[in-house]
mmCIF file of all heavy atoms in Angstrom:
data_model
loop_
_atom_site.group_PDB
_atom_site.id
_atom_site.type_symbol
_atom_site.label_atom_id
_atom_site.label_comp_id
_atom_site.label_asym_id
_atom_site.label_seq_id
_atom_site.Cartn_x
_atom_site.Cartn_y
_atom_site.Cartn_z
ATOM 1 N N LYS A 1 3.900 4.226 1.668
ATOM 2 C CA LYS A 1 3.341 4.481 2.991
ATOM 3 C C LYS A 1 2.252 5.546 2.918
ATOM 4 O O LYS A 1 1.224 5.446 3.593
ATOM 5 C CB LYS A 1 4.432 4.922 3.966
ATOM 6 C CG LYS A 1 3.929 5.068 5.400
ATOM 7 C CD LYS A 1 5.056 5.383 6.365
ATOM 8 C CE LYS A 1 4.515 5.490 7.799
ATOM 9 N NZ LYS A 1 5.597 5.804 8.763
ATOM 10 N N GLY A 2 2.470 6.583 2.093
ATOM 11 C CA GLY A 2 1.454 7.623 1.945
ATOM 12 C C GLY A 2 0.151 7.062 1.397
ATOM 13 O O GLY A 2 -0.936 7.395 1.873
ATOM 14 N N VAL A 3 0.249 6.182 0.393
ATOM 15 C CA VAL A 3 -0.947 5.554 -0.176
ATOM 16 C C VAL A 3 -1.649 4.696 0.869
ATOM 17 O O VAL A 3 -2.881 4.731 1.014
ATOM 18 C CB VAL A 3 -0.580 4.705 -1.409
ATOM 19 C CG1 VAL A 3 -1.793 3.922 -1.907
ATOM 20 C CG2 VAL A 3 -0.033 5.584 -2.524
ATOM 21 N N LEU A 4 -0.860 3.913 1.614
ATOM 22 C CA LEU A 4 -1.445 3.006 2.598
ATOM 23 C C LEU A 4 -2.166 3.765 3.698
ATOM 24 O O LEU A 4 -3.240 3.354 4.157
ATOM 25 C CB LEU A 4 -0.357 2.107 3.184
ATOM 26 C CG LEU A 4 -0.835 0.869 3.938
ATOM 27 C CD1 LEU A 4 -1.713 0.002 3.051
ATOM 28 C CD2 LEU A 4 0.344 0.068 4.446
ATOM 29 N N MET A 5 -1.593 4.898 4.137
ATOM 30 C CA MET A 5 -2.255 5.684 5.171
ATOM 31 C C MET A 5 -3.546 6.320 4.664
ATOM 32 O O MET A 5 -4.521 6.438 5.402
ATOM 33 C CB MET A 5 -1.300 6.756 5.711
ATOM 34 C CG MET A 5 -0.114 6.199 6.506
ATOM 35 S SD MET A 5 -0.596 5.156 7.927
ATOM 36 C CE MET A 5 -0.356 3.508 7.245
ATOM 37 N N ARG A 6 -3.553 6.741 3.400
ATOM 38 C CA ARG A 6 -4.799 7.270 2.832
ATOM 39 C C ARG A 6 -5.854 6.173 2.722
ATOM 40 O O ARG A 6 -7.049 6.415 2.942
ATOM 41 C CB ARG A 6 -4.524 7.878 1.453
ATOM 42 C CG ARG A 6 -3.801 9.222 1.492
ATOM 43 C CD ARG A 6 -4.616 10.299 2.203
ATOM 44 N NE ARG A 6 -5.839 10.646 1.530
ATOM 45 C CZ ARG A 6 -5.983 11.658 0.675
ATOM 46 N NH1 ARG A 6 -4.936 12.428 0.383
ATOM 47 N NH2 ARG A 6 -7.141 11.919 0.121
ATOM 48 N N LEU A 7 -5.422 4.965 2.397
ATOM 49 C CA LEU A 7 -6.365 3.851 2.332
ATOM 50 C C LEU A 7 -6.920 3.526 3.711
ATOM 51 O O LEU A 7 -8.104 3.183 3.847
ATOM 52 C CB LEU A 7 -5.673 2.621 1.730
ATOM 53 C CG LEU A 7 -5.401 2.714 0.230
ATOM 54 C CD1 LEU A 7 -4.491 1.576 -0.223
ATOM 55 C CD2 LEU A 7 -6.707 2.692 -0.555
ATOM 56 N N ARG A 8 -6.082 3.651 4.732
ATOM 57 C CA ARG A 8 -6.586 3.436 6.091
ATOM 58 C C ARG A 8 -7.654 4.471 6.423
ATOM 59 O O ARG A 8 -8.704 4.145 6.976
ATOM 60 C CB ARG A 8 -5.450 3.508 7.107
ATOM 61 C CG ARG A 8 -5.959 3.300 8.527
ATOM 62 C CD ARG A 8 -4.951 3.604 9.596
ATOM 63 N NE ARG A 8 -5.590 3.495 10.904
ATOM 64 C CZ ARG A 8 -4.981 3.722 12.042
ATOM 65 N NH1 ARG A 8 -3.714 4.072 12.063
ATOM 66 N NH2 ARG A 8 -5.626 3.610 13.186
ATOM 67 N N ARG A 9 -7.400 5.726 6.089
ATOM 68 C CA ARG A 9 -8.375 6.787 6.353
ATOM 69 C C ARG A 9 -9.668 6.558 5.585
ATOM 70 O O ARG A 9 -10.739 6.989 6.009
ATOM 71 C CB ARG A 9 -7.774 8.144 5.991
ATOM 72 C CG ARG A 9 -6.777 8.652 7.033
ATOM 73 C CD ARG A 9 -5.879 9.727 6.498
ATOM 74 N NE ARG A 9 -6.597 10.836 5.866
ATOM 75 C CZ ARG A 9 -6.005 11.801 5.182
ATOM 76 N NH1 ARG A 9 -4.679 11.792 5.035
ATOM 77 N NH2 ARG A 9 -6.713 12.775 4.654
ATOM 78 N N ALA A 10 -9.562 5.860 4.452
ATOM 79 C CA ALA A 10 -10.746 5.553 3.651
ATOM 80 C C ALA A 10 -11.488 4.330 4.185
ATOM 81 O O ALA A 10 -12.493 3.908 3.600
ATOM 82 C CB ALA A 10 -10.341 5.317 2.197
ATOM 83 N N GLY A 11 -10.997 3.754 5.298
ATOM 84 C CA GLY A 11 -11.679 2.617 5.914
ATOM 85 C C GLY A 11 -11.273 1.266 5.368
ATOM 86 O O GLY A 11 -11.943 0.262 5.633
ATOM 87 N N CYS A 12 -10.178 1.196 4.615
ATOM 88 C CA CYS A 12 -9.723 -0.073 4.043
ATOM 89 C C CYS A 12 -8.909 -0.863 5.070
ATOM 90 O O CYS A 12 -8.058 -0.304 5.757
ATOM 91 C CB CYS A 12 -8.875 0.176 2.805
ATOM 92 S SG CYS A 12 -9.786 0.962 1.443
ATOM 93 N N HIS A 13 -9.171 -2.155 5.134
ATOM 94 C CA HIS A 13 -8.440 -3.045 6.039
ATOM 95 C C HIS A 13 -7.530 -4.008 5.288
ATOM 96 O O HIS A 13 -6.481 -4.375 5.789
ATOM 97 C CB HIS A 13 -9.421 -3.863 6.886
ATOM 98 C CG HIS A 13 -10.249 -3.040 7.803
ATOM 99 N ND1 HIS A 13 -11.481 -3.453 8.270
ATOM 100 C CD2 HIS A 13 -10.050 -1.816 8.342
ATOM 101 C CE1 HIS A 13 -11.993 -2.519 9.062
ATOM 102 N NE2 HIS A 13 -11.145 -1.524 9.116
ATOM 103 N N ASP A 14 -7.952 -4.448 4.094
ATOM 104 C CA ASP A 14 -7.172 -5.386 3.295
ATOM 105 C C ASP A 14 -6.878 -4.765 1.939
ATOM 106 O O ASP A 14 -7.795 -4.374 1.215
ATOM 107 C CB ASP A 14 -7.926 -6.707 3.100
ATOM 108 C CG ASP A 14 -7.640 -7.694 4.221
ATOM 109 O OD1 ASP A 14 -6.517 -8.229 4.257
ATOM 110 O OD2 ASP A 14 -8.534 -7.926 5.056
ATOM 111 N N VAL A 15 -5.589 -4.690 1.593
ATOM 112 C CA VAL A 15 -5.149 -4.037 0.362
ATOM 113 C C VAL A 15 -4.411 -5.058 -0.497
ATOM 114 O O VAL A 15 -3.549 -5.793 -0.008
ATOM 115 C CB VAL A 15 -4.232 -2.831 0.664
ATOM 116 C CG1 VAL A 15 -3.683 -2.220 -0.615
ATOM 117 C CG2 VAL A 15 -4.996 -1.792 1.467
ATOM 118 N N LEU A 16 -4.746 -5.097 -1.784
ATOM 119 C CA LEU A 16 -4.123 -6.012 -2.738
ATOM 120 C C LEU A 16 -3.297 -5.211 -3.737
ATOM 121 O O LEU A 16 -3.801 -4.294 -4.381
ATOM 122 C CB LEU A 16 -5.203 -6.817 -3.472
ATOM 123 C CG LEU A 16 -4.729 -7.839 -4.500
ATOM 124 C CD1 LEU A 16 -3.969 -8.974 -3.818
ATOM 125 C CD2 LEU A 16 -5.916 -8.402 -5.290
ATOM 126 N N ILE A 17 -2.002 -5.553 -3.856
ATOM 127 C CA ILE A 17 -1.116 -4.931 -4.828
ATOM 128 C C ILE A 17 -1.007 -5.868 -6.029
ATOM 129 O O ILE A 17 -0.630 -7.023 -5.880
ATOM 130 C CB ILE A 17 0.292 -4.686 -4.246
ATOM 131 C CG1 ILE A 17 0.205 -3.914 -2.918
ATOM 132 C CG2 ILE A 17 1.169 -3.935 -5.247
ATOM 133 C CD1 ILE A 17 -0.375 -2.538 -3.029
ATOM 134 N N GLU A 18 -1.348 -5.368 -7.213
ATOM 135 C CA GLU A 18 -1.340 -6.231 -8.395
ATOM 136 C C GLU A 18 -0.238 -5.894 -9.395
ATOM 137 O O GLU A 18 -0.116 -6.548 -10.413
ATOM 138 C CB GLU A 18 -2.704 -6.192 -9.084
ATOM 139 C CG GLU A 18 -3.769 -6.970 -8.346
ATOM 140 C CD GLU A 18 -4.847 -7.505 -9.263
ATOM 141 O OE1 GLU A 18 -4.659 -7.519 -10.487
ATOM 142 O OE2 GLU A 18 -5.896 -7.901 -8.742
ATOM 143 N N GLY A 19 0.554 -4.896 -9.180
ATOM 144 C CA GLY A 19 1.649 -4.654 -10.115
ATOM 145 C C GLY A 19 1.687 -3.230 -10.588
ATOM 146 O O GLY A 19 0.871 -2.411 -10.169
ATOM 147 N N GLY A 20 2.755 -3.019 -11.385
ATOM 148 C CA GLY A 20 3.714 -3.969 -11.938
ATOM 149 C C GLY A 20 4.952 -4.133 -11.065
ATOM 150 O O GLY A 20 4.920 -3.936 -9.847
ATOM 151 N N ALA A 21 6.068 -4.443 -11.760
ATOM 152 C CA ALA A 21 7.296 -4.809 -11.065
ATOM 153 C C ALA A 21 7.837 -3.669 -10.220
ATOM 154 O O ALA A 21 8.284 -3.882 -9.084
ATOM 155 C CB ALA A 21 8.342 -5.247 -12.084
ATOM 156 N N ALA A 22 7.821 -2.441 -10.754
ATOM 157 C CA ALA A 22 8.355 -1.292 -10.013
ATOM 158 C C ALA A 22 7.527 -1.015 -8.763
ATOM 159 O O ALA A 22 8.073 -0.743 -7.685
ATOM 160 C CB ALA A 22 8.397 -0.060 -10.904
ATOM 161 N N LEU A 23 6.207 -1.107 -8.899
ATOM 162 C CA LEU A 23 5.336 -0.871 -7.738
ATOM 163 C C LEU A 23 5.562 -1.947 -6.686
ATOM 164 O O LEU A 23 5.689 -1.659 -5.497
ATOM 165 C CB LEU A 23 3.873 -0.849 -8.186
ATOM 166 C CG LEU A 23 2.859 -0.460 -7.104
ATOM 167 C CD1 LEU A 23 2.869 1.051 -6.893
ATOM 168 C CD2 LEU A 23 1.461 -0.923 -7.476
ATOM 169 N N ALA A 24 5.622 -3.205 -7.126
ATOM 170 C CA ALA A 24 5.856 -4.312 -6.189
ATOM 171 C C ALA A 24 7.172 -4.124 -5.463
ATOM 172 O O ALA A 24 7.260 -4.325 -4.240
ATOM 173 C CB ALA A 24 5.844 -5.642 -6.949
ATOM 174 N N GLU A 25 8.213 -3.740 -6.188
ATOM 175 C CA GLU A 25 9.517 -3.552 -5.570
ATOM 176 C C GLU A 25 9.495 -2.442 -4.527
ATOM 177 O O GLU A 25 10.068 -2.579 -3.437
ATOM 178 C CB GLU A 25 10.554 -3.232 -6.643
ATOM 179 C CG GLU A 25 11.977 -3.150 -6.105
ATOM 180 C CD GLU A 25 12.995 -2.961 -7.208
ATOM 181 O OE1 GLU A 25 12.665 -2.314 -8.227
ATOM 182 O OE2 GLU A 25 14.115 -3.470 -7.059
ATOM 183 N N SER A 26 8.816 -1.333 -4.835
ATOM 184 C CA SER A 26 8.793 -0.212 -3.897
ATOM 185 C C SER A 26 8.042 -0.567 -2.623
ATOM 186 O O SER A 26 8.463 -0.184 -1.524
ATOM 187 C CB SER A 26 8.166 1.021 -4.559
ATOM 188 O OG SER A 26 6.788 0.815 -4.840
ATOM 189 N N TRP A 27 6.958 -1.335 -2.725
ATOM 190 C CA TRP A 27 6.200 -1.734 -1.534
ATOM 191 C C TRP A 27 6.969 -2.769 -0.722
ATOM 192 O O TRP A 27 6.934 -2.752 0.507
ATOM 193 C CB TRP A 27 4.816 -2.253 -1.934
ATOM 194 C CG TRP A 27 3.849 -1.157 -2.283
ATOM 195 C CD1 TRP A 27 3.910 -0.346 -3.380
ATOM 196 C CD2 TRP A 27 2.711 -0.735 -1.537
ATOM 197 N NE1 TRP A 27 2.862 0.552 -3.369
ATOM 198 C CE2 TRP A 27 2.110 0.331 -2.258
ATOM 199 C CE3 TRP A 27 2.131 -1.160 -0.346
ATOM 200 C CZ2 TRP A 27 0.965 0.977 -1.806
ATOM 201 C CZ3 TRP A 27 0.981 -0.521 0.103
ATOM 202 C CH2 TRP A 27 0.405 0.534 -0.614
ATOM 203 N N LEU A 28 7.687 -3.665 -1.397
ATOM 204 C CA LEU A 28 8.520 -4.642 -0.687
ATOM 205 C C LEU A 28 9.658 -3.945 0.042
ATOM 206 O O LEU A 28 9.935 -4.226 1.213
ATOM 207 C CB LEU A 28 9.067 -5.673 -1.664
ATOM 208 C CG LEU A 28 8.098 -6.757 -2.134
ATOM 209 C CD1 LEU A 28 8.654 -7.475 -3.360
ATOM 210 C CD2 LEU A 28 7.816 -7.766 -1.012
ATOM 211 N N GLU A 29 10.323 -3.024 -0.645
ATOM 212 C CA GLU A 29 11.439 -2.323 -0.021
ATOM 213 C C GLU A 29 10.994 -1.463 1.158
ATOM 214 O O GLU A 29 11.753 -1.265 2.109
ATOM 215 C CB GLU A 29 12.151 -1.456 -1.061
ATOM 216 C CG GLU A 29 12.950 -2.264 -2.078
ATOM 217 C CD GLU A 29 13.670 -1.389 -3.075
ATOM 218 O OE1 GLU A 29 13.356 -0.178 -3.146
ATOM 219 O OE2 GLU A 29 14.554 -1.911 -3.787
ATOM 220 N N ALA A 30 9.753 -0.976 1.113
ATOM 221 C CA ALA A 30 9.219 -0.178 2.216
ATOM 222 C C ALA A 30 8.796 -1.038 3.399
ATOM 223 O O ALA A 30 8.423 -0.508 4.457
ATOM 224 C CB ALA A 30 8.037 0.661 1.725
ATOM 225 N N GLY A 31 8.853 -2.361 3.234
ATOM 226 C CA GLY A 31 8.476 -3.264 4.324
ATOM 227 C C GLY A 31 6.984 -3.293 4.585
ATOM 228 O O GLY A 31 6.552 -3.587 5.711
ATOM 229 N N LEU A 32 6.179 -3.037 3.559
ATOM 230 C CA LEU A 32 4.734 -2.927 3.748
ATOM 231 C C LEU A 32 3.960 -4.123 3.212
ATOM 232 O O LEU A 32 2.734 -4.149 3.303
ATOM 233 C CB LEU A 32 4.215 -1.647 3.076
ATOM 234 C CG LEU A 32 4.754 -0.331 3.653
ATOM 235 C CD1 LEU A 32 4.242 0.852 2.850
ATOM 236 C CD2 LEU A 32 4.369 -0.195 5.121
#
């Protein structure tokens, strides 16, 4: 969530998560 909010402040609208497994799991579990 902290990363996503910083990306919003940077003017990003579409964010692509490419990996790996631990990162994907943490973003899925956060409901993001």
Side-chain angles (χ1 to χ4, degrees):
K1 186 175 181 180
V3 173
L4 196 57
M5 292 303 100
R6 286 298 295 265
L7 288 170
R8 179 191 175 181
R9 284 162 52 189
C12 296
H13 296 155
D14 271 288
V15 175
L16 181 66
I17 307 297
E18 285 208 14
L23 186 78
E25 186 175 32
S26 66
W27 283 69
L28 283 165
E29 288 181 347
L32 297 176

